[in-house]
Amino acid sequence: MHFNMIKAIRGTRDILPLEVREWQQVEDAAREIFELYAYQEIRTPLFEETELFARSIGQETDIVAKEMYSFRDRGDVSLSLRPEGTASVVRAYIEHHLDRQVGPVAKLYYMGPMFRYERPQKGRYRQFHQIGAEVLGSEQPTVEAEVIEMLFLLLDRLKVPSAQLLINSLGDAVCRPGYLASLKESVGGQLDKFCPDCQRRAQTNPLRVLDCKNESCQPLIARLPSVLDALCSPCRDHFDRFRASLEDRGLPYALQPRLVRGLDYYVRTTFEIVSGELGAQNALVGGGRYDGLSELLGGPPVQGFGFALGLERFVLVLPESVTESLKEGPDVFLAPLGDEAHRYCTGLATRLRRRGIACDLDYEPGRTLRSQMKHADRVRARYVLIIGERELGSGQFTLRRMSDGWQEPISEEGLFAHFGPVAGATAPTNFSPTA
Ligand SMILES: [Zn+2]
Ligand SMILES: [Zn+2]
């Protein structure tokens, strides 16, 4: 009997241990920075009623029209794997009256997988991962600028080079209809020059035309009317105050009037942070304001502003100075020589770990020093502790640094001092290991 080997599904991938460390580096930095700005984490289900996304993201978007993983469950309800995070967070906010729980301005963040049935290409996956944050309950432009400041602090923390902020305003229910009409007219006048997708979008959702990635549409799009020229005076004022707040914070930006983002629910401020390191698909972070979204979902009027960043792309721009240190393994690898030393190491490993010192060892007894050194090298241990019979008798072991071969005799207490004290580590309380 011979079985075919089962592999991961096309468009998905395994994040392997060394890479997971890079992801954790980003996730840890994000949690730390977000919490400085008083954000709290929220975790919503991976699947929701299809209706949630159809109503919020928009029937005519590529996401809902072509890319969702939708299915009927055994109760014949149409469900979809979440293609993005905002709709679920807003749904949860309404459902649990989070304004009462977390204060008048709810600042929430999330991280996790999202799902879209996209054509697999380099750096694009059908299960991809986002970190995002949402501020619910404020219409102030200074909130928007603060979110962007927070993102730049995160980029600084991770030493991400050459990030650039692009901003735009999409207007609101007052001024956007007029802009859409002029856009429709302008596209309609030369409809046959646009790609088939744009021809369709010109009828159903003309804003999407600005978003077209098709090469041949780009020069046409560049000559279409700018939304920034069509803003009503409250939208103009909002955008001016947003820009002033960015300037007050010393955050440089560029106006990008074609920036519409892929989702229907955005109003007024939208933004992207792009990186020259990423080539054509260069957006690291994207976000914007979505004041009408709560009502679309059957909730009360709630102003909202948020962003999402793609982890897959984000780790690509981490500089080597950040990722290099992540390759280190445990603090120390224990290399016993002989049965008695091997038994001693079992207890020593426990005592080290209970003090917060990471260690590893070879579980096979009787290995030579040479093969244990090789093992230590494979797990990228920083030090090796050599324990032979003579060392056992004297209580003085040999500590060797892997990077340069430096070594010194050391006692068990000396070892604890060398690697500790580690914050949070405590003396044994629940059980007493032997020896
Ligand atoms: Zn097009
Ligand atoms: Zn307006």
Side-chain angles (χ1 to χ4, degrees):
M1 190 78 182
H2 176 76
F3 293 105
N4 288 329
M5 201 182 96
I6 297 170
K7 293 187 176 170
I9 295 166
R10 184 168 151 89
T12 71
R13 61 192 281 260
D14 303 302
I15 321 295
L16 301 175
L18 272 184
E19 199 180 349
V20 167
R21 290 196 170 191
E22 295 181 5
W23 286 48
Q24 286 172 338
Q25 182 87 346
V26 177
E27 289 160 0
D28 292 350
R31 282 181 208 280
E32 193 185 319
I33 303 283
F34 295 172
E35 280 167 24
L36 291 177
Y37 286 80
Y39 283 71
Q40 294 176 283
E41 186 174 356
I42 184 166
R43 301 184 184 192
T44 63
L46 296 192
F47 56 91
E48 302 261 6
E49 276 190 47
T50 299
E51 177 76 9
L52 173 69
F53 305 115
R55 264 202 246 166
S56 58
I57 298 169
Q59 288 283 9
E60 271 307 318
T61 55
D62 282 353
I63 297 174
V64 171
K66 301 183 199 163
E67 297 170 357
M68 280 213 296
Y69 274 94
S70 301
F71 55 95
R72 294 204 165 265
D73 73 357
R74 289 168 196 273
D76 205 30
V77 182
S78 176
L79 305 177
S80 294
L81 299 183
R82 63 183 188 190
E84 56 101 49
T86 303
S88 302
V89 172
V90 174
R91 180 205 42 74
Y93 175 89
I94 301 166
E95 190 172 332
H96 304 285
H97 301 282
L98 279 184
D99 53 329
R100 293 182 207 155
Q101 273 186 49
V102 300
V105 179
K107 299 199 266 187
L108 304 165
Y109 74 90
Y110 59 85
M111 33 187 86
M114 309 291 161
F115 306 86
R116 291 184 200 173
Y117 194 87
E118 290 189 275
R119 204 152 37 85
Q121 49 179 307
K122 196 172 180 300
R124 287 248 181 196
Y125 298 95
R126 289 173 178 177
Q127 175 175 327
F128 57 101
H129 299 77
Q130 289 189 333
I131 297 178
E134 316 291 348
V135 188
L136 295 157
S138 173
E139 61 172 355
Q140 291 303 319
T142 175
V143 163
E144 302 165 1
E146 190 190 74
V147 164
I148 290 167
E149 177 193 288
M150 176 170 85
L151 281 164
F152 273 90
L153 199 58
L154 176 63
L155 292 166
D156 281 355
R157 174 65 55 91
L158 294 167
K159 302 187 171 71
V160 172
S162 65
Q164 198 200 353
L165 172 63
L166 308 177
I167 61 169
N168 191 23
S169 173
L170 295 179
D172 61 2
V174 174
C175 53
R176 188 148 49 169
Y179 173 68
L180 292 181
S182 73
L183 195 58
K184 214 165 175 171
E185 195 182 299
S186 181
V187 176
Q190 41 181 341
L191 197 61
D192 53 336
K193 295 184 190 153
F194 282 88
C195 74
D197 274 343
C198 280
Q199 294 184 12
R200 181 175 56 82
R201 292 177 187 130
Q203 290 313 309
T204 54
N205 190 344
L207 213 51
R208 290 271 78 76
V209 172
L210 300 177
D211 217 17
C212 181
K213 301 284 182 281
N214 207 314
E215 267 311 307
S216 63
C217 292
Q218 300 312 309
L220 303 168
I221 291 168
R223 288 194 300 272
L224 292 173
S226 163
V227 63
L228 291 178
D229 297 331
L231 297 181
C232 65
S233 94
C235 286
R236 161 72 45 207
D237 176 60
H238 183 99
F239 197 51
D240 288 346
R241 286 194 293 138
F242 168 59
R243 292 168 63 177
S245 187
L246 290 176
E247 284 155 23
D248 288 347
R249 295 162 197 269
L251 295 168
Y253 60 84
L255 294 178
Q256 176 48 278
R258 315 291 160 203
L259 182 67
V260 296
R261 312 280 309 137
L263 312 171
D264 271 3
Y265 53 59
Y266 284 121
V267 295
R268 292 193 169 167
T269 311
T270 59
F271 75 97
E272 274 184 5
I273 297 173
V274 298
S275 164
E277 314 267 302
L278 282 174
Q281 295 282 344
N282 61 359
L284 270 180
V285 188
R289 175 163 289 283
Y290 47 84
D291 290 348
L293 180 55
S294 172
E295 286 111 306
L296 278 179
L297 302 182
V302 179
Q303 298 91 3
F305 184 80
F307 68 84
L309 67 83
L311 266 164
E312 278 82 357
R313 281 193 219 173
F314 214 90
V315 294
L316 292 180
V317 298
L318 290 182
E320 208 150 292
S321 59
V322 169
T323 55
E324 192 51 40
S325 64
L326 301 175
K327 293 176 184 156
E328 276 182 5
D331 299 319
V332 58
F333 188 90
L334 308 181
L337 299 167
D339 286 352
E340 204 183 331
H342 201 269
R343 265 199 311 280
Y344 174 79
C345 276
T346 310
L348 176 58
T350 307
R351 293 191 291 280
L352 285 166
R353 287 161 176 162
R354 289 175 75 84
R355 283 168 176 80
I357 301 162
C359 69
D360 202 358
L361 64 166
D362 193 336
Y363 297 102
E364 301 298 324
R367 289 263 158 92
T368 63
L369 181 59
R370 195 182 138 84
S371 82
Q372 296 195 75
M373 293 300 288
K374 232 184 234 173
H375 190 155
D377 190 51
R378 290 285 294 279
V379 300
R380 299 166 195 268
R382 290 163 56 218
Y383 290 85
V384 170
L385 188 73
I386 303 162
I387 306 168
E389 248 166 70
R390 192 165 38 101
E391 282 86 353
L392 260 191
S394 69
Q396 291 287 314
F397 316 122
T398 302
L399 184 66
R400 182 187 295 185
R401 188 158 57 206
M402 292 297 280
S403 59
D404 58 4
W406 167 93
Q407 59 181 49
E408 69 167 9
I410 196 164
S411 66
E412 186 167 316
E413 282 307 318
L415 199 60
F416 298 154
H418 180 96
F419 291 105
V422 177
T426 51
T429 48
N430 289 321
F431 71 109
S432 312
T434 52

